[in-house]
Amino acid sequence: MAVTIIDVAREANVSPSTVSRVITDHPRISVKTKKKVREVMERLQYYPNFQARNLAARSTQTIGVVMANSATLAFQNPFFPEVIRGICTKAHAGQLGIYLSTGGTEEEIFQEVVAMVQGQKVDGIILLYSRVDDKTLNYLREMNFPFTIVGRPYEYENQIDFVDNDNRKIAQDVVNYLVELGHKNISFIGGDLKFVVSSDRLEGYQSALANHELTYQNQYFIHDFAYEQEGKEAIRHLMTQENPPTALVAHDDSVAYEIIRFLEELEIRVPEDVSIISFNNHALSEHVKPPLTSVDIHIFELGIKATELLLDRIKQPEREAVHQFVDTTLIVRNSCRSLNPREK
Amino acid sequence: MAVTIIDVAREANVSPSTVSRVITDHPRISVKTKKKVREVMERLQYYPNFQARNLAARSTQTIGVVMANSATLAFQNPFFPEVIRGICTKAHAGQLGIYLSTGGTEEEIFQEVVAMVQGQKVDGIILLYSRVDDKTLNYLREMNFPFTIVGRPYEYENQIDFVDNDNRKIAQDVVNYLVELGHKNISFIGGDLKFVVSSDRLEGYQSALANHELTYQNQYFIHDFAYEQEGKEAIRHLMTQENPPTALVAHDDSVAYEIIRFLEELEIRVPEDVSIISFNNHALSEHVKPPLTSVDIHIFELGIKATELLLDRIKQPEREAVHQFVDTTLIVRNSCRSLNPREK
DNA sequence: CTGAAAGCGCTTACAG
DNA sequence: CTGAAAGCGCTTACAG
């Protein structure tokens, strides 16, 4: 019913092969023939059938994008839309489609990825997270299927393409910044340590403390911060101990917003009573009160670079693994206070 | 190289037709044969080739999702990720894939949609916006291709499937709420009137004013609110006129955040000096200062319902057009103040 | 209940 | 520079 390559060929008095070659702008077709065929294509409103084309050519012209938990929490976090925006931008430039994973659980996502790979739905995959012992990651690696991670892989670092921020370093920078402001009792409110980004930042925090000869104390560390009641209790506990921290490092801006709210209920003021600094610099961090000091991790660029890496890998399946680190910027706003007397 | 239906057939001593029928769980294949074939599929790690399957079956098992401007602004707005989350959830339940548009300009998006339709990349399309005289929309309608809009279409309303909030009504509700609080000078900071959502909300605002016998005044209306310098100037102008409004209705929470910031610079306090109310209830509206009173429009559900409508339409191309309105909830926080003396 | 055959709409060596 | 033919990996009337 739709117009096919055969219709065009008949109408233009050439063979289907020739039409096919005109579509791909094959150099050995005469300009005259190309012109004639293109006119017919235009006139008949011909568009090549995507599936037939890819089946014959053994490619798909689409890349798969896999989130940790698309259907549940992922999109609450501004990180994902922003990386995807980067991916879309680059993909669009290369005429590639984006196929989005939709699974809700780890197992569902794994099954979807297997279907993408085995069913040849996509030419390559971008993983938007990096987790310890990830079945999906291991599968892709074992299949030797083209893929890139946004984040540092837990194992086999030098066999895998990835882009990331230098999370250990930026956590150090953040601690250094607080130390310069005169803080010594610095707490860390971390994320789920199954994610490499969380453990990297924790490591950076710890090593920065060591550099400043501040000892790491377990009671200053909240691991896998929970929202709602549980998180509130953790913050209360943290702030009412004998020697409470004067500064908090939160692993994500939305965690920082929540903490500020809990602190408020405890009548602890930011930054007067406690400073807070965080990572990821969400769009709204300039609008909350107080405006949040945060590390901008250039999420859009992570998406762009990840796509570039993947396209390279698809073209050259055997090239060496490539790692790229994307720069970050500390955005100083008003959530941290100096304890140095001379600056007060 | 990958294992095909032929390999499975040979190994199971049946014909490819039979394997194919086992894949689709055809009722007329004996249980015994099914069992045997499934064992072989399992053993050989067979997965049907997605493209070949769809080419032969003339379907795609994927739906296209089209944003207004994916590569630029769309993802800044929490609306899109949240609808997409709804769409993914529903699509996943039906084993469908999601194909995301990536175009940056209106024309690019149009071309992408034409390629999706003509190239038979998708079985149906969800449009995440509704705009006046939209080329893409008109094309889909003329092609009689299955599609659904999130938003009310500008024309041909009863020929098109869509889901929406009742934007005229919720704008009225918001004005009624302010009037109950004693406000009479109510300003409206609207969006781009090319989008139907913006003009619907403006209409609701106007008719509510009329109901309360308040006259609509042009100097209370800011059309197509701009961020940055231009928006700031507009707000300054609005608030320094002879008879400034005591309440502002903003067409989106992120606009409200921005306005609050401008007001601050003008040393106008919210809600003491002016009240502000808004639509869409973004996740962060409870965290800004003051916490924002906003209408929750149940974005996730818009996504779910839109997908349901589309799946129905794909199954029954000739059924009557269906419209669904998704409920909304006014979330009262602290950005509006009562002017009624008795409540003060 | 199962198989042989045609077909989905392209691409691509091969040949000239 | 162009065409005939085989093939990509499936599905689905048709026949038995």
Side-chain angles (χ1 to χ4, degrees), chain B residues 23 50 88 140 160 173 192 249 311 344:
Chain B
I23 294 170
F50 184 70
C88 278
L140 290 170
I160 295 174
D173 291 347
D192 184 344
V249 179
L311 297 185
K344 267 263 24 175

Side-chain angles (χ1 to χ4, degrees), chain A residues 5 17 20-21 46 49 52-53 56:
Chain A
I5 206 170
S17 329
S20 173
R21 289 185 185 109
Y46 168 75
N49 179 301
R53 194 165 180 201

Side-chain angles (χ1 to χ4, degrees), chain A residues 19-310:
Chain A
V19 177
S20 173
R21 289 185 185 109
V22 172
I23 295 169
T24 53
D25 203 15
H26 191 110
R28 281 217 287 272
I29 299 288
S30 75
V31 178
K32 200 176 140 210
T33 306
K34 277 187 184 168
K35 184 152 176 285
K36 182 175 64 178
V37 172
R38 283 192 182 126
E39 272 167 20
V40 175
M41 294 198 313
E42 177 71 21
R43 181 153 52 80
L44 299 187
Q45 290 260 60
Y46 168 75
Y47 285 83
N49 179 301
F50 184 70
Q51 318 233 33
R53 194 165 180 201
N54 290 335
L55 178 59
R58 321 180 127 286
S59 92
T60 68
Q61 304 296 343
T62 86
I63 60 185
V65 172
V66 177
M67 291 179 278
N69 292 306
S70 78
T72 51
L73 295 165
F75 269 134
Q76 308 282 30
N77 185 333
F79 179 81
F80 291 97
E82 184 66 6
V83 213
I84 292 177
R85 194 170 72 85
I87 296 172
C88 278
T89 303
K90 195 74 202 177
H92 179 254
Q95 305 266 47
L96 290 162
I98 302 281
Y99 193 90
L100 215 59
S101 76
T102 63
T105 66
E106 236 181 286
E107 182 60 25
E108 281 173 351
I109 289 168
F110 173 68
Q111 291 301 342
E112 267 191 287
V113 168
V114 172
M116 284 190 207
V117 172
Q118 304 277 7
Q120 290 158 70
K121 276 190 203 184
V122 299
D123 291 337
I125 284 179
I126 300 179
L127 243 40
L128 297 187
Y129 65 90
S130 169
R131 183 165 29 205
V132 171
D133 289 332
D134 185 46
K135 207 169 157 187
T136 303
L137 169 59
N138 290 334
Y139 170 77
L140 290 170
R141 203 173 55 75
E142 277 159 23
M143 294 297 290
N144 204 18
F145 194 77
F147 76 104
T148 308
I149 313 181
V150 177
R152 192 177 67 82
Y154 178 63
E155 301 177 297
Y156 305 102
E157 190 168 324
N158 45 29
Q159 295 173 28
I160 297 173
D161 294 339
F162 69 90
V163 334
D164 200 2
N165 308 111
D166 191 339
N167 283 305
R168 286 179 281 216
K169 179 165 174 310
I170 63 180
Q172 286 180 9
D173 291 347
V174 154
V175 172
N176 292 344
Y177 171 74
L178 292 171
V179 169
E180 270 170 38
L181 292 181
H183 293 276
K184 290 192 165 47
N185 297 340
I186 301 169
S187 175
F188 187 84
I189 322 291
D192 184 343
L193 289 177
K194 288 204 196 83
F195 288 94
V196 177
V197 54
S198 303
S199 54
D200 278 358
R201 288 179 182 170
L202 176 60
E203 267 181 42
Y205 160 76
Q206 290 172 325
S207 70
L209 290 187
N211 290 342
H212 293 290
E213 302 184 343
L214 300 168
T215 48
Y216 171 75
Q217 307 178 50
N218 255 321
Q219 66 265 37
Y220 277 0
F221 171 49
I222 296 180
H223 149 100
D224 198 5
F225 177 78
Y227 291 81
E228 308 301 329
Q229 206 46 49
E230 203 184 325
K232 187 167 166 181
E233 189 42 45
I235 295 296
R236 200 191 59 70
H237 189 256
L238 178 71
M239 298 307 294
T240 54
Q241 60 186 287
E242 196 167 338
N243 200 9
T246 61
L248 312 181
V249 178
H251 93 286
D252 179 85
D253 284 10
S254 35
V255 166
Y257 305 151
E258 199 76 8
I259 294 174
I260 291 174
R261 205 169 58 155
F262 294 154
L263 290 171
E264 220 162 61
E265 294 178 22
L266 297 167
E267 307 200 334
I268 298 173
R269 294 161 306 165
V270 178
E272 291 80 356
D273 301 325
V274 65
S275 293
I276 185 160
I277 190 169
S278 158
F279 301 100
N280 299 358
N281 191 34
H282 298 165
L284 285 152
S285 295
E286 54 171 325
H287 290 291
V288 292
K289 293 283 153 48
L292 201 62
T293 294
S294 182
V295 179
D296 191 320
I297 59 169
H298 300 184
I299 301 175
F300 182 75
E301 202 181 331
L302 287 169
I304 297 270
K305 288 272 196 281
T307 313
E308 284 175 4
L309 247 48
L310 182 62

Side-chain angles (χ1 to χ4, degrees), chain B residues 233-304:
Chain B
E233 189 43 44
I235 295 297
R236 201 192 57 72
H237 189 255
L238 177 71
M239 298 307 294
T240 54
Q241 60 186 286
E242 197 168 340
N243 201 10
T246 61
L248 311 181
V249 179
H251 93 284
D252 180 87
D253 285 9
S254 35
V255 166
Y257 306 151
E258 199 75 8
I259 294 175
I260 291 174
R261 205 169 59 155
F262 295 154
L263 291 172
E264 219 163 64
E265 294 178 21
L266 297 168
E267 306 199 336
I268 298 174
R269 294 161 307 165
V270 178
E272 291 80 356
D273 302 324
V274 65
S275 293
I276 185 161
I277 190 169
S278 159
F279 300 100
N280 299 359
N281 190 36
H282 297 166
L284 285 152
S285 295
E286 54 171 325
H287 290 291
V288 291
K289 293 285 152 53
L292 201 63
T293 293
S294 182
V295 179
D296 191 319
I297 59 170
H298 299 184
I299 302 173
F300 181 76
E301 201 180 331
L302 287 168
I304 297 271

Side-chain angles (χ1 to χ4, degrees), chain B residues 35-178:
Chain B
K35 185 155 175 281
K36 181 175 64 179
V37 173
R38 283 192 182 125
E39 271 168 18
V40 175
M41 296 199 310
E42 177 72 22
R43 181 152 52 81
L44 299 187
Q45 289 261 59
Y46 168 74
Y47 285 84
N49 179 301
F50 184 70
Q51 318 232 33
R53 191 166 183 201
N54 291 336
L55 178 60
R58 322 180 125 285
S59 94
T60 70
Q61 304 296 342
T62 85
I63 60 185
V65 172
V66 177
M67 292 179 278
N69 292 306
S70 77
T72 51
L73 294 165
F75 269 134
Q76 309 281 30
N77 186 332
F79 179 81
F80 291 96
E82 184 67 4
V83 214
I84 293 177
R85 194 170 71 86
I87 296 172
C88 278
T89 303
K90 196 73 202 176
H92 179 254
Q95 305 266 47
L96 290 161
I98 302 281
Y99 193 89
L100 215 58
S101 76
T102 63
T105 68
E106 234 180 288
E107 182 61 24
E108 281 173 351
I109 288 168
F110 174 68
Q111 291 303 341
E112 268 189 288
V113 168
V114 172
M116 283 190 209
V117 172
Q118 304 276 10
Q120 292 159 69
K121 276 189 205 186
V122 299
D123 291 337
I125 284 178
I126 300 179
L127 244 39
L128 297 188
Y129 65 90
S130 169
R131 182 165 31 205
V132 170
D133 290 333
D134 184 46
K135 208 170 157 187
T136 303
L137 170 59
N138 290 334
Y139 169 77
L140 290 170
R141 205 173 53 76
E142 277 158 24
M143 294 297 290
N144 203 19
F145 193 79
F147 76 104
T148 309
I149 313 182
V150 178
R152 192 177 67 82
Y154 178 64
E155 300 178 298
Y156 305 102
E157 188 169 325
N158 45 28
Q159 296 173 28
I160 295 174
D161 295 338
F162 69 89
V163 333
D164 201 1
N165 307 112
D166 191 339
N167 282 304
R168 286 180 281 218
K169 180 166 174 309
I170 64 179
Q172 285 181 10
D173 291 347
V174 153
V175 171
N176 293 344
Y177 171 74
L178 292 171

